[in-house]
Amino acid sequence: MTMIHGSRARQIVSVAAALAIVGASFFVGALYGAQNRPAIERVAAVIGKQPPPDLAEMDFNLFWDVWSRVEKRFVDRAKIDRKELVEGAIAGLVRGVGDPYTVYLPKEETKQFQEDIAGAFGGIGAEIGIRKAVLTVISPIKGSPAEKSGLKPGDKILQIGATSTADLALEEAVRLIRGEPGTQVTLKVFREATDATKDYTITRDVIKIPVLTTEKKGNDVFVIALHTFTQNSAYEFRRAVQEFFLSGSKRLILDLRNNPGGFLTVSVDIASWFVPAGETIVSERLATGEGDVYRSSGYRLLQDVPTVILINEGSASASEIVAGALRDIKGIKLVGRKTFGKGSVQEVQDLSDGSSLKVTIAKWMTPKGHEIDGVGIEPDILVEIPKDENGETVLDGKDVILEKGIEIVKGL
């Protein structure tokens, strides 16, 4: 995960921390008539320093007015938990930036997030994200309960159990979907292709994400299907490259379909097998307008190998980085469907009470300067998926995108 440090990161944390302190101190201050002071002065006093110029222009009196009215008028006054009010205020503040990947994580959610990063977890095996303010399946993991149940990329999750996903934070949705292996969760799903809503009851399992698979097609074409960009993916891809050369194949298909992404550095490492040293793989745009540039390590063993890349709606994040870079730099053809459009960098900042702030700090751009986030990448060769009169996919065991990829790569 890309991390930043220094004054900018501290400023972000200080605003969240300040609001927490302000909220906790309000009730005591109200008892002594602190409402008579301008709200911004109270904020500055709690922080112990002058507020930033932009913050000084804001009027916090409305915030205090609402809090006071809740304290005085709410029918179940004894049930008010001021800690939850503070957390709700902070969560609302963060949600106000309008980015689904910038979220405040209370202490328990932070603990869950850290456990998920550490290893396997109980769930259904589907990568999800927010698309046009709707909780959406990016990709079901190969062999997972989600895939076996019939969930597909692009499915819109309207309800998790009895909980509507409208205005539900992404991390909260993940928390509701995950659970103990062997237990069940029911998702109400809308699929645009069929214009219908359907309930999927899925039994949770321990989810272990596969890295990649390989397959030789005929005498000439070798397929590397990369399923995710984990810490082990760079090593596994190196082994797959060795297998490719030992197979005697002359042409390569890199299958990034339903790959939800992962580590940025791994995507750069994998692109380096195709690209000379020093070439820009991806650049980051930070809030300041500046950013980092990630360049090829120049392994180059695959730079002269005729290659086609397969993509679809489930290709996101690091998958889009690799696909975009290899098309921009090498002119490698992308075959399949438009990608998801997840091209941003998140940083997790620990807060003093064990909670955390996950904030989008940068957006990715391809070597030619095309932004990925919210846009996605269009394929060079669009493959239409056959459907019946009800809009359901009809494949009859065929992989039409792979077949088209083989056709294209054989012509190179």
Side-chain angles (χ1 to χ4, degrees), residues 91-323:
L93 166 73
V94 175
R95 189 161 53 246
V97 304
D99 174 37
Y101 301 105
T102 296
V103 293
Y104 168 72
L105 302 177
K107 189 173 181 178
E108 287 304 313
E109 291 184 28
T110 296
K111 181 180 178 182
Q112 181 70 53
F113 180 79
Q114 293 169 341
E115 289 174 353
D116 292 344
I117 292 176
F121 52 86
I124 65 171
E127 184 80 11
I128 60 176
I130 304 292
R131 175 185 282 170
K132 297 180 179 178
V134 180
L135 187 67
T136 304
V137 176
I138 299 176
S139 173
I141 295 171
K142 187 175 180 63
S144 68
E147 183 189 54
K148 293 174 182 177
S149 74
L151 284 184
K152 297 180 180 180
D155 282 348
K156 302 181 187 306
I157 302 174
L158 307 181
Q159 194 169 301
I160 304 168
T163 304
S164 169
T165 61
D167 299 322
L168 193 67
L170 181 60
E171 275 66 25
E172 178 65 11
V174 171
R175 187 186 67 80
L176 292 174
I177 291 173
R178 289 179 181 172
E180 289 295 320
T183 61
Q184 292 186 327
V185 60
T186 299
L187 307 180
K188 186 176 292 294
V189 171
F190 174 76
R191 183 170 296 165
E192 287 185 348
T194 60
D195 194 27
T197 301
K198 178 180 177 181
D199 286 345
Y200 290 80
T201 298
I202 306 171
T203 301
R204 301 179 177 100
D205 201 350
V206 175
I207 305 301
K208 294 183 179 179
I209 303 174
V211 175
L212 62 75
T213 53
T214 60
E215 184 180 5
K216 186 173 182 179
K217 291 288 187 180
N219 297 322
D220 202 29
V221 178
F222 192 84
V223 180
I224 300 177
L226 186 61
H227 304 304
T228 186
F229 288 81
T230 65
Q231 290 176 317
N232 293 329
S233 295
Y235 170 74
E236 293 295 335
F237 193 82
R238 182 184 298 270
R239 292 182 57 182
V241 170
Q242 293 174 341
E243 186 181 346
F244 163 71
F245 284 110
L246 291 173
S247 73
S249 301
K250 303 298 181 185
R251 291 171 168 78
L252 177 66
I253 289 179
L254 178 58
D255 189 351
L256 298 178
R257 291 176 297 170
N258 298 330
N259 183 325
F263 287 92
L264 169 64
T265 53
V266 175
S267 70
V268 175
D269 186 274
I270 287 172
S272 296
W273 289 96
F274 300 85
V275 177
E279 290 274 6
T280 295
I281 302 300
V282 65
S283 57
E284 287 181 346
R285 177 176 62 80
L286 301 173
T288 60
E290 301 174 345
D292 295 322
V293 174
Y294 295 84
R295 302 183 185 277
S296 169
S297 298
Y299 307 146
R300 296 180 16 170
L301 288 181
L302 300 174
Q303 70 173 352
D304 295 323
V305 174
T307 302
V308 161
I309 297 176
L310 308 185
I311 57 173
N312 70 355
E313 301 90 337
S315 306
S317 186
S319 296
E320 295 171 294
I321 288 175
V322 172

Side-chain angles (χ1 to χ4, degrees), residues 27 69-82:
F27 186 67
R69 291 170 188 265
V70 170
E71 292 271 3
K72 292 176 180 178
R73 304 294 295 172
F74 182 61
V75 63
D76 291 323
R77 188 182 307 175
K79 294 182 180 179
I80 292 177
D81 185 329
R82 296 188 182 89

